[in-house]
Amino acid sequence: MTLVFDAAPGVEITLALPLGGWGLGLLALASAGLLGLGLWRRARGSGWRAVAAGVLLLALAEPRLLVEQRQPLPDIALLLVDASPSQQVANRPEVTAAARAALLERLAALPDLETRLVTFGEAGDGTNLGPALEGALDDIPADRLSAVLVLSDGRLHDLDDPATGPALTDRLADRLGEAPLHLLLSGRPDERDRRLTLTDVPAYGLVGETVSLSLGLAVDGPDAPTQPVAVTVEVPGQPPRQLDLVPGQPRPVRLALDHPGPTVLAARLPAAEGELSALNNRVAATVEAVRPRLRVLLVSGQPHPGTRIWRTLLKADPAVDLVHFTILRPLDKDDATPLDELALIAFPVRELFEARLADFDLVILDRTGVGSRVPDRYLGNLADHVRQGGGLLVVAGPGLARLPALPLQPILPVELSGEVAEAPFRPALTGTGRRHPVTAALAAEATTGAPNWGQWVRHLPGRPRAGVTLMHGPADTPLLQLAHVEKGRVAMLLSDSGWLWAKGIDGGGPHQPLVRRLAHWLMGEPALAENALSAEIAGGRLTVTRRALSDPTARPLTVIAPDGRESHLALTDQGDGRATASQPAEAPGLYTVRDPAGPPEARLAFAAPPPEALKETAQLTATAQAAAPLVEATRGTTVWLGDDAANPTLPTPRRTTANPDTLALPRRDAHQTTGLTHQALMPAPLALTLITLALLTAWLRERA
């Protein structure tokens, strides 16, 4: 058992108590009893006997003096420098660099102080002080931390989060302890900046509907203007429109979802004089348009193996609602069989081709001689349905060798010869087919002159008169022809032997992907558009893709950066109808890609970084508000550096106690113990001498 007493900083007195606390206590009690008896009997020399007993008890306690040998350690000043994208606007990079250099120089001149430098925010996904500060504190002993200096624009998103910011502030204040946190702001308190906002943006909408978004204009800074400002709103494939926005008064903007897939709406605001930056003068939102279900009408003629293949593929697609009829009894067939004895139902031609035709996104005529089965006026309805945006796929068979002259024939892209060719052949892709999105993916499975697909056994020769030929048969006759008809689309597959691929006969072929991609092209799938312009940002780079059946590298594209700077981008042909190019996307915000000479649907594209990165451009003015609770809790100081890069406003750091008027760096007086010295306070010879003298004096007093 050992007792320790602090006598002074670095000095301790210890009592070893080899007899234990109880043993020494009993001995002290016995000594006190004997001394008390002597005093009661008025024995002479009792005082000296008490001295001897005290010296004996002290010697038995073995008191020692422990003195630490200390080496002073320098205090640590932690400098955190914000390197986020919002620190790159205006002249903040120069101000920050000058303040950083001046701070490092002045801190290095202070005695007994070590400076550690940490940068944070480089990832561009939001400026978060908490992880950077806590990570640095993990490597710094708490008793050596003098102060923390944060060089930033004050846009600290984790501290500014209303849900988690207060708890994070309390945790950081606890970890800092007695060390103050000073905030050095790279900017001025009177900065002004305008920014566009898009809110109430739905993630999804139904094709054919119109959704409403809220477009607003905010002005950060003092003396915000109230007069309306002209804003340009753009949607790819549509002419731009102008809106007048009053700061602080959002306006609804309606967006028509006229095709499946993403629909982008962008707004831009011209830069104004005295504005901090134009990075947040552009904003975009994307709404994904979906169909509730794709309704397909499949009308088959004589039953054959291909009918089952078509039905199986369409039924297997969860996005397709299939209605299938097989016409076994032509309308012009007349016999004496009573209707109540027929096992067939009447083909609902009026209901399908007039009353409910508008409900179908795609109509497939499979080996059916529609001229003898559907009256002309209903075929006229089908032609009008296609012109208004519907899809039509004609799978030719013997019954379709001769089409009626009116009214369906004008929308068909191939004029049939009226013959049926019964001879094996291998389908092949044309040059256009190798570039068209419907069949480009199949090009890897076919080589020019030696296709490795299975043979087909029948086709209908014809002459193309509209659209593009993607596959050809013998003598380069069209086999798969696609065409646009006003708002709609038409495809003709001039053979009914495609099912041989599905069965794997003669090696088979890519029947399933061909049919699926063909059906989705007919229903207007944007990913299968022949002409398209797209852009995306990933890994800090802007990647642009142009798709075209002609040369996609014919002309460079214009790229408009978030700050309004323009550049030209040359494309590289990928050989499958696509041309791509890439460049660094250094500035945060919305990029615009333009091709003024392209088709209307491929003249404009937008690319924005992930939502986390857009935090950096949401608000750009410098602010002390986010870090104010932490600065106050640690008795730190907030300093505005101004915008003079040559001479930033920077107080001189001082080694003093915390003071809100200076960049205080309190002394912590930390040390490292290099050794200990032990010294017995009552060595045995000294104790024996003192006890002997005390007892001798007591004996002499008794004898006197």
Side-chain angles (χ1 to χ4, degrees):
M1 179 179 179
T2 302
L3 298 180
V4 180
F5 303 93
D6 290 327
V11 179
E12 295 178 348
I13 296 177
T14 65
L15 300 178
L17 302 179
L19 298 180
W22 286 102
L24 191 62
L26 291 176
L27 184 59
L29 185 62
S31 300
L34 292 175
L35 291 173
L37 179 62
L39 292 173
W40 179 70
R41 297 179 59 182
R42 297 181 181 274
R44 303 181 67 179
S46 297
W48 288 105
R49 291 187 180 90
V51 171
V55 172
L56 176 62
L57 292 174
L58 184 60
L60 292 176
E62 294 187 7
R64 289 180 175 274
L65 181 67
L66 273 67
V67 180
E68 294 181 354
Q69 297 177 357
R70 293 183 172 184
Q71 178 181 352
L73 294 176
D75 294 338
I76 296 176
L78 176 60
L79 176 59
L80 293 170
V81 179
D82 182 357
S84 63
S86 64
Q87 276 280 78
Q88 309 306 313
V89 302
N91 63 341
R92 287 180 187 172
E94 293 78 13
V95 172
T96 301
R100 168 180 163 171
L103 276 173
L104 291 176
E105 180 181 358
R106 297 179 188 183
L107 292 174
L110 295 177
D112 302 326
L113 184 68
E114 174 187 338
T115 303
R116 296 191 183 180
L117 176 65
V118 175
T119 59
F120 67 102
E122 303 97 323
D125 55 354
T127 307
N128 299 316
L129 176 66
L133 178 54
E134 291 188 295
L137 293 179
D138 289 340
D139 297 329
I140 298 177
D143 60 348
R144 294 182 60 190
L145 181 63
S146 176
V148 176
L149 298 92
V150 179
L151 185 53
S152 170
D153 58 6
R155 292 295 175 185
L156 305 171
H157 300 109
D158 53 351
L159 295 183
D160 203 29
D161 189 331
T164 60
L168 176 61
T169 297
D170 293 340
R171 187 170 76 246
L172 293 178
D174 289 341
R175 292 206 60 179
L176 290 174
E178 298 298 324
L181 183 141
H182 305 299
L183 178 62
L184 310 176
L185 292 168
S186 56
R188 306 187 322 272
D190 59 346
E191 291 174 340
R192 180 185 294 177
D193 189 48
R194 301 183 304 169
R195 53 189 172 91
L196 290 174
T197 61
L198 271 173
T199 56
D200 301 329
V201 180
Y204 297 93
L206 296 179
V207 174
E209 291 187 347
T210 299
V211 297
S212 180
L213 298 75
S214 182
L215 177 62
L217 172 63
V219 180
D220 298 323
D223 302 326
T226 58
Q227 60 270 26
V229 178
V231 176
T232 302
V233 178
E234 295 179 293
V235 176
Q238 300 179 15
R241 45 184 165 148
Q242 298 286 331
L243 286 179
D244 289 335
L245 287 182
V246 176
Q249 299 180 17
R251 284 188 56 178
V253 179
R254 301 185 68 79
L255 176 63
L257 306 179
D258 54 5
H259 61 79
T263 299
V264 181
L265 181 143
R268 53 187 170 90
L269 176 72
E273 183 179 357
E275 190 172 8
L276 180 63
S277 174
L279 283 176
N280 48 12
N281 288 15
R282 299 169 183 265
V283 67
T286 301
V287 179
E288 192 77 18
V290 297
R291 299 181 190 267
R293 282 181 71 88
L294 301 173
R295 294 183 58 84
V296 178
L297 172 62
L298 173 60
V299 180
S300 302
Q302 297 177 357
H304 73 113
T307 300
R308 181 178 295 274
I309 299 298
W310 278 105
R311 180 180 177 86
T312 301
L313 286 175
L314 293 171
K315 292 288 286 186
D317 193 332
V320 171
D321 187 3
L322 177 65
V323 177
H324 183 201
F325 283 93
T326 301
I327 304 176
L328 299 178
R329 181 184 174 92
L331 297 179
D332 57 357
K333 183 176 181 180
D334 188 14
D335 57 35
T337 306
L339 293 178
D340 58 356
E341 295 183 12
L342 290 175
L344 306 176
I345 64 170
F347 180 56
V349 60
R350 180 185 176 280
E351 182 179 3
L352 294 178
F353 288 94
E354 185 174 77
R356 299 187 57 187
L357 183 59
D359 295 340
F360 295 105
D361 301 292
L362 172 63
V363 177
I364 302 176
L365 302 179
D366 177 31
R367 282 174 47 98
T368 175
V370 292
S372 61
R373 290 166 168 79
V374 180
D376 284 356
R377 70 187 185 95
Y378 294 124
L379 293 179
N381 293 341
L382 179 57
D384 291 339
H385 175 66
V386 172
R387 294 187 181 99
Q388 294 169 8
L392 173 63
L393 171 60
V394 177
V395 182
L400 201 66
R402 293 185 180 275
L403 292 173
L406 292 175
L408 192 60
Q409 191 174 15
I411 69 170
L412 299 179
V414 176
E415 181 180 352
L416 298 178
S417 66
E419 301 176 356
V420 178
E422 302 272 359
F425 67 96
R426 293 188 185 275
L429 294 177
T430 64
T432 301
R434 294 177 181 274
R435 305 181 67 85
H436 197 285
V438 171
T439 51
L442 311 180
E445 303 183 25
T447 57
T448 302
N452 55 1
W453 295 332
Q455 296 186 93
W456 290 2
V457 296
R458 179 166 51 206
H459 76 284
L460 274 64
R463 179 180 62 85
R465 60 182 181 184
V468 293
T469 304
L470 304 189
M471 299 175 66
H472 62 78
D476 292 335
T477 57
L479 188 61
L480 176 60
Q481 191 81 8
L482 274 58
H484 291 265
V485 180
E486 297 183 11
K487 296 181 180 180
R489 304 183 181 196
V490 178
M492 291 187 71
L493 182 59
L494 301 178
S495 175
D496 58 355
S497 302
W499 63 273
L500 297 173
W501 278 2
K503 292 294 186 179
I505 297 175
D506 192 26
H511 182 262
Q512 183 171 342
L514 173 62
V515 170
R516 180 177 292 111
R517 296 172 73 86
L518 180 59
H520 282 275
W521 178 86
L522 287 165
M523 291 182 284
E525 177 62 44
L528 298 174
E530 302 94 320
N531 297 297
L533 182 64
S534 63
E536 66 173 354
I537 294 177
R541 297 190 66 83
L542 170 68
T543 301
V544 180
T545 302
R546 176 201 277 155
R547 178 177 284 281
L549 296 183
S550 57
D551 183 8
T553 64
R555 55 194 175 275
L557 300 173
T558 300
V559 178
I560 304 174
D563 57 4
R565 290 179 297 176
E566 294 188 5
S567 61
H568 296 287
L569 192 61
L571 300 169
T572 301
D573 193 353
Q574 302 299 313
D576 59 354
R578 297 180 305 116
T580 61
S582 177
Q583 71 175 35
E586 298 175 349
L590 180 67
Y591 282 78
T592 304
V593 182
R594 295 186 183 275
D595 180 15
E601 67 273 18
R603 292 178 181 173
L604 184 64
F606 300 101
E612 297 80 10
L614 293 178
K615 292 180 181 179
E616 293 294 338
T617 58
Q619 289 181 282
L620 294 173
T621 53
T623 178
Q625 182 177 355
L630 182 58
V631 173
E632 182 179 355
T634 60
R635 295 181 297 167
T637 305
T638 298
V639 177
W640 290 89
L641 299 176
D643 57 1
D644 186 358
N647 187 26
T649 304
L650 187 64
T652 300
R654 299 182 183 277
R655 300 305 311 277
T656 179
T657 57
N659 187 331
D661 297 326
T662 64
L663 291 182
L665 287 87
R667 295 184 180 276
R668 302 305 303 273
D669 297 324
H671 65 276
Q672 180 181 7
T673 301
T674 59
L676 289 173
T677 59
H678 299 261
Q679 182 177 354
L681 295 179
M682 186 60 68
L686 176 61
L688 183 60
T689 301
L690 293 176
I691 292 173
T692 301
L693 290 175
L695 292 177
L696 180 60
T697 303
W699 180 75
L700 292 175
R701 292 284 295 172
E702 284 183 351
R703 304 292 295 176

